[in-house]
Amino acid sequence: MGIDPNYRQNRQVVGEHEGHKIYGPVDEPKVLGIHGTIVGVDFDVCIADGSCITACPVNVFRWFDTPGNPVSEKKADPFNEQACIFCMACVNVCPVAAIDVKPP
């Protein structure tokens, strides 16, 4: 079960982090929602494999600590989603399909 590709329509914006939107629900530390609009990362699916961080040629991602989260205690945060060049490398390498990329 990966990220909902329609989360932008199906979920409410519940906050902002590092300049990107957070789509709920959020109930920290167990439920963290989806971070990002152009590059969305489902923090509830992300297992902190790091392949997206390595694959991204324009440094869209960086680690964000999520202590107490049952899936992983860090996540690949799309803090620089505006730099995305839509190469889809992150989507293609994510082992749990936690990432969705759509142009604005």
Side-chain angles (χ1 to χ4, degrees), residues 8 31 48 56 62 82 88 98:
R8 296 160 188 86
V31 179
C56 182
R62 74 174 166 206
Q82 296 295 328
M88 307 305 275

Side-chain angles (χ1 to χ4, degrees), residues 23-100:
Y23 295 82
V26 172
D27 184 17
E28 294 182 15
K30 293 182 179 180
V31 179
L32 301 175
I34 297 174
H35 285 234
T37 302
I38 298 167
V39 179
V41 177
D42 191 331
F43 274 26
D44 301 318
V45 176
C46 177
I47 60 170
D49 160 86
S51 57
C52 59
I53 292 174
T54 303
C56 182
V58 293
N59 299 312
V60 165
F61 306 96
R62 74 174 166 206
W63 290 120
F64 177 70
D65 290 330
T66 56
N69 183 263
V71 179
S72 65
E73 294 206 335
K74 62 182 179 176
K75 305 294 178 180
D77 187 38
F79 82 103
N80 192 22
E81 69 175 349
Q82 296 295 328
C84 183
I85 59 172
F86 310 103
C87 69
M88 307 305 275
C90 59
V91 172
N92 293 332
V93 299
C94 182
V96 292
I99 304 170
D100 185 66

